[in-house]
Amino acid sequence: MDKTLKIVFFGTPEFATGVLETLYNSHHQIVAVVTAVDKPAGRGRKLNESHVKQFAIQNDIPVLQPNNLKSPEFIEELRSYKADLQVIVAFRMLPKVVWSMPALGTFNLHASLLPEYRGAAPINWAIINQESQSGVTTFFIDEKIDTGAIIDQQSCDIEENETVGTLYKKLMDMGSALSLQTVNNIATGQITTQIQPMSDKLKEAPKLNATNTTIDWNKTTKAVDAMVRGLYPFPVAKAVLIQDKNETIKIYKTTVELKNHKMKPGSIVIEDDVFKVACTDGFLIIDEMQLPNKKRMDVKSLLNGYKFSADARFHNGLL
């Protein structure tokens, strides 16, 4: 059996928990978990524990939640666990005093085929940009974000109607297996690394915000559909509806209809129970949407109880 390593794990969301669980169930020892500080959420502003913290508590793993990753108290406590290795999944940038601490280093699992899609939202942007492949990469942490030496990679196809939800699960499972493989190879000294190329032509995965999650109807039908899938089920594509007043709606599911027309992009066509919006090369049929202060609904049900004005249309992007 491979040498058993003492590991400190850094992570916050469900994606990280999948990796943590795999490592926890291996012969290696998770000596502590570092995760985000509890944050108030919901109407009652109840403190919300991260997915990783919940798993750690259930399995009696010590939990560290520092506000300041450079504080002497945190550094001292982290050093007390005498970890051989640190594993990072979906966590914030670490100072050198932290990532340089273990003798065997600190590696990160990133949900893309680096060096492409460095940044906060690689799964979303791979689908939005209509890539045919995605994957996971393990790499050693250095001073910059997602630029360290690559240890290992695994790729997968992005299916035709893939959403963030389905690709997320696929990459979480792949990433869990790759992370354990990387830990085992580090334990036995069987790794070779590859320096990442640096180029300004690489595709990036910036953090999602109100601007880059709002639909631009001047794009092709397939491009807009890819954006909807690339933001489903979270954070969900948005569009600005112009009628009596401007309202931001959420669009969950769509279907592509390639068809020549002379309508202005953003124009709305309602035919029986079908609601579609003009793009440059056809129409995007909206199957599920959510109006402000309303529930998410299939369009047929929505049209039964809501009437759009005759001049309603969508703005071509964010107002």
Side-chain angles (χ1 to χ4, degrees), residues 43-80:
R43 291 182 180 178
R45 308 304 289 164
K46 180 181 178 182
L47 286 179
N48 187 35
E49 296 178 338
S50 76
H51 214 277
V52 162
K53 180 180 178 179
Q54 292 173 37
F55 179 88
I57 291 173
Q58 289 166 7
N59 293 280
D60 297 320
I61 304 170
V63 177
L64 286 67
Q65 295 179 275
N67 277 308
N68 181 1
L69 293 171
K70 294 182 180 179
S71 73
E73 295 81 9
F74 169 66
I75 298 302
E76 182 180 356
E77 186 175 7
L78 184 64
R79 189 171 282 121
S80 72

Side-chain angles (χ1 to χ4, degrees), residues 220-251:
T220 66
T221 326
K222 287 187 176 180
V224 178
D225 178 67
M227 182 175 182
V228 173
R229 290 184 289 105
L231 298 171
Y232 178 81
F234 183 82
V236 185
K238 297 161 189 70
V240 179
L241 178 66
I242 301 174
Q243 47 178 356
D244 301 330
K245 60 179 179 179
N246 296 338
E247 297 179 314
T248 298
I249 72 165
K250 295 181 178 180
I251 297 177

Side-chain angles (χ1 to χ4, degrees), residues 128 210-225 227-228 231 237-240 251 264-267 277-281 284 314-319:
I128 292 170
T211 300
N212 61 24
T213 59
T214 299
I215 293 172
D216 179 358
W217 300 98
N218 286 303
K219 295 185 176 180
T220 66
T221 326
K222 287 187 176 180
V224 178
D225 178 67
M227 182 175 182
V228 173
L231 298 171
K238 297 161 189 70
V240 179
I251 297 177
K264 184 177 179 180
S267 299
V277 186
C279 299
T280 58
D281 62 346
L284 196 70
F314 282 108
H315 188 271
N316 295 325
L318 190 68
L319 286 174

Side-chain angles (χ1 to χ4, degrees), residues 128-195:
I128 292 170
N129 291 339
Q130 303 178 70
E131 299 288 358
S132 61
Q133 281 202 321
S134 183
V136 287
T137 304
T138 53
F139 66 95
F140 282 117
I141 296 282
D142 64 9
E143 287 89 349
K144 297 181 181 180
I145 298 176
D146 302 335
T147 60
I150 291 172
I151 305 168
D152 208 349
Q153 282 187 333
Q154 186 175 350
S155 64
C156 68
D157 292 335
I158 297 178
E159 305 299 331
E160 183 177 358
N161 294 311
E162 195 93 65
T163 67
V164 162
T166 58
L167 185 56
Y168 184 99
K169 178 65 168 64
K170 193 185 299 183
L171 295 183
M172 183 172 71
D173 293 343
M174 286 175 53
S176 298
L178 187 70
S179 295
L180 179 56
Q181 177 180 305
T182 298
V183 171
N184 288 340
N185 288 341
I186 289 173
T188 57
Q190 297 177 337
I191 61 164
T192 56
T193 58
Q194 177 184 346
I195 301 299

Side-chain angles (χ1 to χ4, degrees), residues 15 22 25 38 83 97 125 141 144 148 183 203 230 235 287-288 311 316:
F15 190 91
T22 296
N25 290 327
D38 299 345
V97 66
W125 286 107
I141 296 282
K144 297 181 181 180
V183 171
K203 295 171 186 173
D287 300 312
E288 292 185 26
D311 59 350
N316 295 325

Side-chain angles (χ1 to χ4, degrees), residues 268-276 303 306-309 312:
I268 294 171
V269 178
I270 300 175
E271 298 172 339
D272 297 324
D273 295 328
V274 177
F275 183 104
K276 56 187 183 181
L303 292 175
Y306 183 89
K307 300 300 180 185
F308 291 87
S309 64

